[in-house]
Amino acid sequence: MRNMAKASLLEIVRYCDRTLRTNQIKDYDGAVNGLQVENNGTVTRIAAAVDASASTILKAASARADLMVVHHGLFWNARQPWTGSSYRIMRQLLENNMAVYSSHLPLDAHPRLGNNALLCAALGLKNLRPFFFAKDQYLGFQARTKISLLVLAQRLEEATGKKPIILPGKWAVCRRIGVVTGGAGSELKRAAQEGVDTFVTGEGPHWTYALAEELGVNVLYGGHYATETFGVRKLAAELAKRFKVPWSFVDHPSGL
């Protein structure tokens, strides 16, 4: 019988921390980037997921994974006390010897493995420059090009598998496009101040429709979940290749 491939959890964590600059990229207080839950120290299979939740943990366990690599981790709000749903999540992790590694803004911002860079590539955007300065760093990318708004929306749908919501500004042709995945719609004014005529992100609040009209900026909402599947897939694939263990993607779309 063929021996099961094994890798060191500690070595994988060190590689991720170094590659993603986990300790250098500033994030929201509750993000807790890095290793959030450890296992017995050995990894035989990696499961990538956008969110760490009871449902994705069960799916990862069914795939026989013992390391989850996620974009949205477990600790956005206080988990204490460990009762109710928090207890059930921790029990699932412990019973399945499941470690959890989370990378939020470090994964968004990475120029090779990150959600923003990978979505730009999927949209055919090249010669990327830094964009969207927040928390003392640039998180997204922008590109100068010439493409119709409708063609860009079509490319976004092809990249994500989800029909985007279009908030038309005043530009039928996009010449300066900024990309920040996830829930950056509420920061539309920040994006406009950086000079883009088109802003691609995941989701935003209702009032941004009127603001887009006021600012004359096109906005494409591709879905928070749908725009953030790229990074965890890429990271897990790289870890699997480097550490010689299999990986799979746990798809659990929210529709948002």
Side-chain angles (χ1 to χ4, degrees):
M1 182 175 179
R2 186 177 180 181
N3 292 330
M4 183 181 296
K6 296 181 180 180
S8 163
L9 175 64
L10 180 59
E11 290 181 6
I12 291 176
V13 169
R14 285 175 174 170
Y15 179 78
C16 288
D17 286 346
R18 182 174 65 253
T19 301
L20 299 170
R21 300 175 59 234
T22 298
N23 296 323
Q24 285 77 49
I25 302 295
K26 295 181 180 179
D27 209 325
Y28 300 95
D29 291 340
V32 192
N33 291 306
L35 185 64
Q36 293 190 339
V37 180
E38 61 183 337
N39 65 3
N40 66 0
T42 299
V43 174
T44 60
R45 186 177 185 91
I46 298 170
V50 174
D51 305 293
S53 67
S55 296
T56 58
I57 292 167
L58 282 176
K59 288 184 176 182
S62 295
R64 299 187 180 279
D66 39 28
L67 170 61
M68 287 186 70
V69 174
V70 302
H71 185 50
H72 301 133
L74 294 165
F75 301 113
W76 297 100
N77 300 298
R79 279 283 186 186
Q80 304 93 331
W82 287 95
T83 59
S85 61
S86 293
Y87 165 73
R88 288 191 291 274
I89 285 175
M90 184 54 68
R91 185 182 67 186
Q92 289 172 8
L93 292 169
L94 293 175
E95 287 180 349
N96 291 285
N97 188 39
M98 184 87 66
V100 178
Y101 187 95
S102 178
S103 186
H104 186 233
L105 293 188
L107 187 57
D108 279 331
H110 197 275
R112 181 172 58 85
L113 303 172
N115 288 313
N116 297 321
L118 293 171
L119 181 55
C120 284
L123 295 175
L125 303 179
K126 301 177 181 179
N127 301 317
L128 304 181
R129 296 190 298 125
F131 170 67
F132 203 79
F133 193 78
K135 296 186 177 295
D136 302 323
Q137 62 214 341
Y138 285 102
L139 299 176
F141 296 95
Q142 61 174 302
R144 293 183 183 273
T145 186
K146 185 176 181 181
I147 181 175
S148 77
L149 177 60
L150 294 181
V151 170
L152 181 64
Q154 182 178 3
R155 288 186 184 180
L156 181 58
E157 182 175 358
E158 291 171 354
T160 63
K162 177 180 173 65
K163 191 174 184 64
I165 296 172
I166 303 175
L167 312 186
K170 64 179 183 180
W171 307 102
V173 176
C174 312
R175 288 180 168 81
R176 189 171 173 184
I177 303 167
V179 176
V180 178
T181 63
S186 59
E187 298 292 339
L188 174 56
K189 185 172 289 187
R190 182 196 301 270
Q193 288 173 342
E194 294 191 28
V196 299
D197 57 47
T198 303
F199 184 37
V200 179
T201 186
E203 64 172 332
H206 170 77
W207 51 262
T208 57
Y209 188 94
L211 183 60
E213 290 181 320
E214 177 186 332
L215 297 173
V217 175
N218 302 323
V219 180
L220 295 179
Y221 288 143
H224 195 138
Y225 178 91
T227 60
E228 295 197 323
T229 63
F230 299 91
V232 288
R233 285 176 180 265
K234 186 73 170 180
L235 176 60
E238 174 154 318
L239 294 175
K241 182 178 181 180
R242 184 178 184 87
F243 292 96
K244 297 179 174 55
V245 293
W247 77 281
S248 58
F249 178 61
V250 175
D251 194 16
H252 192 64
S254 65
L256 301 175

